[in-house]
C-alpha cells in the first residue's frame, strides 16, 4: 500500500489531475505486485463505481445551478440581501455572508459559490473601502455554506456511497449552515465596529418590490427539492430534474435573461463538470478495490480501537485526519477515497449516519478554504487580484469560526438530527 500512496502523491506533485492520479497509482500497484491480470477488470470496476441511478442527481443539480448563474441570479440575490440586512455599519460584509447563504440553495458547490458571489461582492466591497484581502477571505468562508444545504453535491455523493437518505442529509445540514452564517455575521459586525467600516447605500423604496419579486422565485428552489422529496412527490433524481426545469423556466420566462447562447453554455459547463466528477468516482472505485485487497479499512479501524475505545476520542482523531485530508484533496475525491475506511470506522463512533455525513462533509469543506490547496482561496484571490498569502492570513479567524461549528456538529447531535426528526425522517 506504501507504493500506491507514493505513486499517488508523486502524480499530484507532478500536477496530474486527481482522477488520473488515482488511476495511475492503481495501475502501478497492480503491476508491481504482479497482479496485472486484475487490470482486465479495470473498466468493469470503473463502470460499476458510477452505475448508480441516484448519481443522475449530480448533473441535473449542476445544470440547475449553471442555468441560475447564467440568468444573472447572483445580482438579484445580492440586491435582496442588501435590502434585508444592509443598513448597518459594515453592512456590505453582512450582505456578502447573507447572499452566500441565499445562493447556497442554488449552487450546491463551494467553488461555484465563491466565483459567483466573489465576482459581484469583492469589487463592491473594495469600492466601499474594505480591504481586498478581507473581502476575498469573507467570500471564501461564506462559500462553504453551499455544500451544507440542498442541493449539496457532497451530501448527495455521501448518500450514494453509504445508502443514507439524501432528503435527511439535506435537512441535517441546514441548521449547521445557519449557525455558521450567524457566526460569520457576528464576526463581520465586530470587525466593522473595530475598523469603522462604512454604511452601504440603501435600496430605494420604489425598487424594493421588484427586487423581492425577482429574487424570491430562485430562493424557492431548495423548498421544491426538499419538500418534493420529503412528501414523496418525487425521488431525489426526479427532484434534480425538476430543479433543472424550474431553473430553465424562471430564467427564460420570469427573468428573461436566458437566451440560446447562455443555455447552450450552461449545458456545456454541466457536461464538463459532470465528466470530471464521474471520472473521479470511477477511478476511486479502483482505489476502493485495492484498499479491500490490502484490508486497509479494517486495519485502520482496529488501530483506532487500540488507541482508545472512547467514542469522543475517536471522533476528535477522525476529525483531525479528515481536516488534513481536506488540505490536499478536492472534497468529492477525498470523500470517495475515504469512504471505504470511514465505513469501517463509523460503527466505533456511536453516531447516526446522517449526523456522521454532515460532520464528514463539513470537515472536507473547511479544506476548501485552507492552504495549501484550498481551491476556493485560489478563486477569490484571483478575483480580488490579491496575493494568496494575504488572503490566507485574512481568513484565519474565519477558519477558527468554522472549526467551532465543526465541534458543535460533532458533539451536539441535535444540531443535525432535530430538523430531519421534526419533518418525519
Amino acid at each position: 500500500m506504501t507504493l500506491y500512496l507514493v505513486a499517488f502523491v508523486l502524480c499530484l506533485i507532478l500536477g496530474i489531475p486527481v482522477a488520473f492520479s488515482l488511476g495511475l497509482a492503481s495501475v502501478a500497484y497492480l503491476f508491481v505486485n504482479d497482479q496485472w491480470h486484475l487490470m482486465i477488470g479495470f473498466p468493469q470496476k470503473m463502470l460499476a463505481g458510477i452505475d448508480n441511478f441516484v448519481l443522475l442527481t449530480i448533473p441535473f443539480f449542476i445544470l440547475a445551478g449553471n442555468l441560475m448563474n447564467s440568468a444573472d441570479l447572483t445580482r438579484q440575490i445580492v440586491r435582496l440581501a442588501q435590502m434585508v440586512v444592509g443598513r448597518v455599519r459594515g453592512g456590505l460584509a453582512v450582505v456578502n455572508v447573507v447572499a452566500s447563504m441565499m445562493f447556497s440553495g442554488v449552487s450546491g458547490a463551494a467553488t461555484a459559490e465563491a466565483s459567483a458571489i466573489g465576482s459581484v461582492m469583492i469589487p463592491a466591497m473594495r469600492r466601499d473601502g474594505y480591504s481586498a484581502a478581507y473581502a476575498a477571505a469573507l467570500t471564501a468562508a461564506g462559500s462553504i455554506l453551499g455544500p451544507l444545504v440542498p442541493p449539496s453535491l457532497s451530501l448527495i455523493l455521501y448518500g450514494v456511497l453509504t445508502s443514507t437518505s439524501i432528503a435527511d442529509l439535506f435537512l441535517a445540514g441546514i441548521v449547521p449552515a445557519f449557525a455558521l452564517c450567524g457566526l460569520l455575521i457576528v464576526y463581520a459586525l465586530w470587525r466593522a465596529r473595530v475598523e469603522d467600516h462604512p454604511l452601504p447605500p440603501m435600496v430605494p423604496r420604489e425598487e424594493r418590490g421588484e427586487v423581492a419579486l425577482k429574487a424570491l422565485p430562485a430562493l424557492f428552489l431548495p423548498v421544491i427539492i426538499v419538500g418534493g422529496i420529503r412528501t414523496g412527490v418525487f425521488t431525489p433524481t426526479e427532484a434534480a430534474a425538476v430543479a433543472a426545469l424550474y431553473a430553465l423556466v424562471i430564467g427564460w420566462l420570469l427573468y428573461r435573461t436566458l437566451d440560446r447562447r447562455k443555455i447552450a453554455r450552461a449545458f456545456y459547463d454541466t457536461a464538463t463538470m459532470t465528466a470530471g466528477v464521474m471520472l473521479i468516482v470511477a477511478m476511486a472505485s479502483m482505489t476502493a478495490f485495492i484498499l479491500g485487497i490490502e484490508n486497509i479499512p479494517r486495519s485502520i479501524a482496529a488501530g483506532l480501537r487500540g488507541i482508545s475505545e472512547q467514542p469522543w476520542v475517536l471522533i476528535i482523531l477522525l476529525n483531525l485526519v479528515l481536516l488534513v485530508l481536506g488540505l490536499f484533496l478536492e472534497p468529492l475525491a477525498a470523500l470517495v477515497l475515504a469512504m471505504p475506511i470511514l465505513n469501517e470506522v463509523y460503527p466505533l463512533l456511536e453516531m447516526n449516519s446522517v449526523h456522521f455525513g454532515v460532520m464528514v462533509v463539513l470537515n472536507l469543506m473547511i479544506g476548501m478554504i485552507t492552504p495549501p490547496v484550498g481551491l476556493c482561496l485560489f478563486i477569490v484571490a484571483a478575483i480580488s487580484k490579491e496575493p494568496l498569502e494575504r488572503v490566507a492570513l485574512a481568513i484565519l479567524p474565519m477558519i477558527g469560526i468554522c472549526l467551532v461549528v465543526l465541534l458543535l456538529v460533532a458533539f451536539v447531535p441535535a444540531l443535525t438530527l432535530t430538523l430531519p426528526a421534526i419533518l418525519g425522517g
Side-chain angles (χ1 to χ4, degrees):
M1 196 61 199
T2 303
L3 170 67
Y4 175 88
L5 293 175
V6 170
F8 178 61
V9 172
L10 181 61
C11 287
L12 290 179
I13 292 173
L14 292 174
I16 299 173
V18 172
F20 294 111
S21 297
L22 291 169
L24 290 172
S26 300
V27 170
Y29 170 87
L30 294 176
F31 183 78
V32 172
N33 286 278
D34 198 26
Q35 295 179 338
W36 56 269
H37 60 281
L38 294 177
M39 288 177 58
I40 298 173
F42 203 106
Q44 289 90 336
K45 291 193 176 297
M46 288 178 61
L47 289 173
I50 58 176
D51 186 17
N52 191 311
F53 184 70
V54 181
L55 284 176
L56 277 174
T57 56
I58 291 177
F60 280 121
F61 279 136
I62 291 174
L63 177 59
N66 285 337
L67 288 170
M68 290 289 196
N69 285 339
S70 299
D72 199 27
L73 173 69
T74 310
R75 295 185 185 277
Q76 309 297 343
I77 287 178
V78 169
R79 291 282 283 169
L80 179 63
Q82 187 175 349
M83 184 180 76
V84 175
V85 298
R87 289 301 296 167
V88 294
R89 184 163 300 282
L92 210 55
V94 177
V95 168
N96 189 323
V97 178
V98 173
S100 294
M101 187 68 203
M102 291 178 177
F103 195 77
S104 297
V106 175
S107 67
T111 51
E113 190 156 328
S115 58
I117 297 296
S119 62
V120 177
M121 291 304 306
I122 293 175
M125 291 179 70
R126 290 187 68 172
R127 286 194 301 269
D128 226 29
Y130 291 82
S131 157
Y134 170 62
L138 189 63
T139 304
S143 71
I144 68 172
L145 294 169
L148 292 177
V149 298
S152 165
L153 302 183
S154 298
L155 289 177
I156 290 171
L157 186 57
Y158 173 86
V160 170
L161 295 173
T162 61
S163 300
T164 304
S165 166
I166 291 175
D168 284 347
L169 288 167
F170 280 172
L171 291 170
I174 292 174
V175 174
F178 273 100
L180 178 56
C181 177
L183 289 176
L184 287 175
I185 289 173
V186 170
Y187 173 76
L189 292 174
W190 171 81
R191 185 90 175 250
R193 182 180 293 272
V194 171
E195 299 182 0
D196 194 27
H197 290 162
L199 283 168
M202 182 184 297
V203 176
R205 186 179 300 273
E206 62 274 11
E207 294 181 12
R208 294 179 184 179
E210 181 183 359
V211 168
L213 182 64
K214 286 186 175 181
L216 288 179
L219 300 179
F220 194 62
L221 182 62
V223 178
I224 294 175
I225 295 168
V226 177
I229 297 173
R230 176 59 69 197
T231 57
V233 175
F234 33 68
T235 66
T237 308
E238 293 165 347
V242 169
L245 179 61
Y246 179 79
L248 180 62
V249 169
I250 66 170
W252 183 280
L253 299 179
L254 180 61
Y255 297 143
R256 298 184 181 276
T257 50
L258 282 179
D259 54 30
R260 292 180 182 178
R261 183 182 58 81
K262 288 183 177 180
I263 293 173
R265 183 68 191 180
F267 273 89
Y268 174 80
D269 290 343
T270 299
T272 54
M273 291 174 65
T274 302
V277 172
M278 293 304 177
L279 189 59
I280 289 173
V281 175
M283 289 294 188
S285 64
M286 200 61 193
T287 299
F289 174 66
I290 290 173
L291 290 174
I293 292 176
E294 292 283 336
N295 203 24
I296 296 296
R298 291 186 180 181
S299 299
I300 291 177
L304 287 174
R305 190 183 288 111
I307 294 173
S308 174
E309 294 190 359
Q310 294 294 326
W312 68 270
V313 175
L314 298 179
I315 289 172
I316 291 176
L317 289 174
L318 181 60
N319 277 302
L320 290 174
V321 171
L322 288 171
L323 285 170
V324 172
L325 185 64
L327 294 181
F328 300 99
L329 284 179
E330 188 270 343
L332 295 182
L335 195 59
V336 177
L337 192 61
M339 280 318 302
I341 298 171
L342 296 179
N343 284 334
E344 291 291 334
V345 174
Y346 160 69
L348 306 177
L349 306 180
E350 301 178 4
M351 295 176 73
N352 179 283
S353 178
V354 174
H355 176 200
F356 182 66
V358 175
M359 184 189 77
V360 170
V361 168
L362 180 55
N363 263 293
L364 298 178
M365 288 306 121
I366 292 174
M368 295 283 281
I369 61 172
T370 309
V373 196
L375 188 54
C376 289
L377 278 186
F378 284 104
I379 292 172
V380 297
I383 294 172
S384 65
K385 297 181 175 59
E386 284 289 296
L388 182 64
E389 53 270 21
R390 290 191 61 186
V391 179
L393 187 62
I395 205 173
L396 288 179
M398 301 171 217
I399 292 176
I401 291 172
C402 294
L403 293 176
V404 169
V405 174
L406 176 60
L407 287 174
L408 290 174
V409 167
F411 293 106
V412 185
L415 202 65
T416 52
L417 299 181
T418 299
L419 203 53
I422 290 174
L423 296 180

